[in-house]
Amino acid sequence: MASNGACDTMRVFLLAVGCWLNLLIKYYAMESRANHNQVSHCPNKCLSCVQWLPLFKKKKQNSIEKFQNHDIIVYVLGGPGCGKGTQCSKIVEDFGFIHLSAGELLETEVKTGSETGKMIQEFKKEGKLVPSEVVVKLLKQAMQRSGNRKFLIDGFPRNEENRLTAEKMLGIQPTIVLVFDCSEEEMIRRVMQRNQGRVDDNMDTIRKRLKVYKESTLPVIDYYAKKGKARKINAERPVEEVFRSVEAVFSELGLVKRGKTIV
Ligand SMILES: Nc1ncnc2c1ncn2[C@@H]1O[C@H](COP(=O)(O)OP(=O)(O)OP(=O)(O)O)[C@@H](O)[C@H]1O
Ligand SMILES: Nc1ccn([C@H]2C[C@H](O)[C@@H](COP(=O)(O)O)O2)c(=O)n1
C-alpha cells in the first residue's frame, strides 16, 4: 500500500515537471518567433500563463555591462587649447563615435553643486588634475549609459594614475591614441581667445596646465608611443587640414566616413 502511495506521489510529481517543461518549450518557441519579427498567433489560451516566465530570466539592461575587445576606444591627448574638442566634434559627425570629454564630465559634476563638484572646481582653478577615481567613475557611467561601442575619450588619460585606474576600473586599453601637437605660444593664443567663460582660461592657470601637461601627460604619450599606439598630428595648422590627418588615422583603423560604407 505504502509503495502505491509513493508511486502516486511520483506520478503527480513527474506530471507537474512535464507540464512545466511543456510551458518552457512553448515560451521559448514563442520568444524565438518574436525575435525573428514574426507575429505570434497563439490560439491556446493556456499559453497566457507562460507570460510570467520572463520573470525568471535575468533582466536585460540597456547599459553596457562590460567593455569588450572589439570596442573601439580612441584616447585624445594634447596640451590645453590645442584643438582636441574641435577635432572630436568633427570625428563624431563623420565617424559616429560617442565623444566623452573628461573635462566636460567634470564640469557637469561641478554644476550639480555636489561636494565632489566643489572639490573638482578647486582642482580646476589650480590647473591640477582631479583624482583619477573621480574621473574614471564619471567616464564609466557615461560609457555605460551611451550603449555605444565606439568611444572618443578626450583629455584622458592625463597622467599615469589616470591610465592605470582606467585599466583597473574599466578594464580597457585604447585601440589608438591621437596626439595633437601644438606649440605653447599657439595654445596660449587659442585659449586666451576662446572666450567661453571657463574658470581655467586665464594666463596663470594656463601656465600651470602647461606644466602639468609636460610633467604628467607627456610620459603617458611616451608610454603609448612605445606600444605603437600613439598617432601624432600637427595641430598647428587650420582646422580642416588637421582633420585630414585625423581621417588618415581613422582609415588606418579601417573606419570610413559615415554614409559611404558600413563602419
Ligand atoms: N586648428 C585650429 N586653428 C585655430 N584655432 C583653433 C584650431 N582648433 C581649435 N581652435 C580654437 O582654439 C580654441 C581651443 O580649441 P578647443 O577647445 O578645441 O581645444 P581643447 O584642446 O579641447 O582645449 P582644452 O584642453 O582646454 O579643453 C577654440 O576657440 C577653437 O575654436
Ligand atoms: N583626465 C582629466 C581631465 C580633465 N581634468 C580637469 C583638469 C583640467 O584642467 C580640466 C579641463 O579639462 P580639459 O577640458 O582641458 O580636457 O579638467 C582632470 O583633472 N583630469
Side-chain angles (χ1 to χ4, degrees), residues 42-85:
C42 187
N44 189 349
K45 271 203 173 163
C46 103
L47 266 184
S48 60
C49 66
V50 302
Q51 280 167 7
W52 44 263
L53 278 169
L55 295 175
F56 291 90
K57 284 178 68 180
K58 196 167 174 278
K59 200 170 175 266
K60 255 191 199 161
Q61 296 190 338
N62 289 333
S63 63
I64 297 169
E65 279 293 308
K66 212 166 182 301
F67 305 110
Q68 296 168 2
N69 286 339
H70 60 262
D71 292 348
I72 302 177
I73 293 166
V74 177
Y75 283 160
V76 183
L77 293 176
C82 69
K84 298 182 294 292

Side-chain angles (χ1 to χ4, degrees), residues 64-156:
I64 297 169
E65 279 293 308
K66 212 166 182 301
F67 305 110
Q68 296 168 2
N69 286 339
H70 60 262
D71 292 348
I72 302 177
I73 293 166
V74 177
Y75 283 160
V76 183
L77 293 176
C82 69
K84 298 182 294 292
T86 305
Q87 294 297 323
C88 283
S89 307
K90 295 179 72 60
I91 297 169
V92 168
E93 239 174 70
D94 282 3
F95 294 95
F97 273 69
I98 181 114
H99 175 209
L100 300 175
S101 155
E104 274 173 26
L105 289 170
L106 291 168
E107 186 53 30
T108 307
E109 185 64 33
V110 169
K111 287 191 178 130
T112 65
S114 67
E115 285 308 310
T116 311
K118 284 177 193 148
M119 179 265 280
I120 293 170
Q121 185 77 329
E122 288 313 306
F123 276 87
K124 279 184 77 172
K125 266 191 223 157
E126 290 304 310
K128 286 184 187 162
L129 295 176
V130 172
S132 299
E133 296 213 343
V134 175
V135 190
V136 174
K137 196 173 154 207
L138 293 173
L139 274 175
K140 185 174 186 177
Q141 287 167 352
M143 288 170 86
Q144 290 183 321
R145 264 198 311 264
S146 78
N148 202 312
R149 291 285 186 193
K150 290 189 293 181
F151 303 101
L152 205 50
I153 304 185
D154 171 6
F156 185 91

Side-chain angles (χ1 to χ4, degrees), residues 245-260:
S245 302
V246 171
E247 284 177 322
V249 173
F250 279 80
S251 66
E252 179 201 334
L253 285 179
L255 301 173
V256 286
K257 276 187 175 183
R258 273 208 295 214
K260 284 192 176 169

Side-chain angles (χ1 to χ4, degrees), residues 79-86 190 194 198 209 235 237-239 242:
C82 69
K84 298 182 294 292
T86 305
R190 290 182 188 176
R194 182 157 48 186
R198 280 176 55 153
R209 292 177 69 198
R237 300 166 293 158
V239 173
V242 178

Side-chain angles (χ1 to χ4, degrees), residues 163 173 222-230:
R163 178 179 75 74
Q173 296 281 350
D222 275 352
Y223 170 86
Y224 287 121
K226 285 193 186 111
K227 289 193 149 251
K229 291 195 172 187

Side-chain angles (χ1 to χ4, degrees), residues 4 70 218:
N4 266 351
H70 60 262
L218 288 182

